[in-house]
Every structure is written in structure tokens, then in C-alpha cells.
Amino acid sequence: MANSKQARKRARQAEGRRVLKASQRAMVRTYLKRVIKAIQGGDHAEAMSQFKQAQPVIDRIADKDVLSKKKAARLKSRLNKRIKALAA
């Protein structure tokens, strides 16, 4: 455990950030699962609507540095690729 007052505060702050980021990552995973479920169901319109709901959430979480911007872009690109393949 931290010994100085400053280090104890840092530990408290780090724990708070960890908990918040964990819940935000879980929220992103939920949105991703909804899109994937629609894709696996074969419903292009539903997949597109779920994807449009997931996009701003992914971007917002990337802006907060919970996910890296590159990972967010990669996730969106892969989902979009699967939705386009579903339409064809």
C-alpha cells in the first residue's frame, strides 16, 4: 500500500478510474453484441440500425481514452464490413 498522503490519493483516484472505465468497456461490449446478433440473424436493416446506435457510443468511449482510437476504428470497420457482406 502507498505510504505518503499523495500516493494514497493517487491510489484512490486510480481505483475510481478503473471502476468507471470497466463499466464503460462493458457498455461498449453490449452494443457490439447487439450488432453481431443482428448480423448473425441475417437482418440487414436491424444490423444497420444497431450499428448506427453503436457508432457514437464507440466514438465517445474512444474520446475518453477507455479504448484507443485505433481500436475503435478497427471495431467499427470490421462491423461495417460484415454488414456490407450481409447486404450482398
Side-chain angles (χ1 to χ4, degrees):
M1 184 60 196
N3 292 322
S4 67
K5 186 176 178 182
Q6 175 186 355
R8 283 193 294 271
K9 180 178 179 180
R10 274 290 178 206
R12 283 195 313 269
Q13 288 175 330
E15 177 63 16
R17 276 193 300 274
R18 185 190 67 80
V19 170
L20 181 64
K21 287 183 176 189
S23 74
Q24 290 174 334
R25 271 193 300 272
M27 180 180 62
V28 168
R29 280 191 219 110
T30 302
Y31 277 92
L32 293 176
K33 286 176 190 175
R34 289 178 189 166
V35 177
I36 291 168
K37 186 176 180 184
I39 291 170
Q40 289 173 342
D43 187 0
H44 181 262
E46 177 65 19
M48 274 307 293
S49 87
Q50 290 295 335
F51 181 64
K52 285 182 181 177
Q53 289 177 1
Q55 262 183 317
V57 174
I58 294 169
D59 288 334
R60 196 164 47 246
I61 296 304
D63 286 341
K64 294 178 181 178
D65 281 337
V66 176
L67 291 178
S68 75
K69 290 188 185 291
K70 287 187 178 186
K71 181 169 183 171
R74 191 169 57 242
L75 287 171
K76 291 187 300 182
S77 174
R78 288 177 180 173
L79 286 175
N80 198 28
K81 181 179 172 184
R82 289 176 69 177
I83 291 171
K84 284 184 177 180
L86 187 64

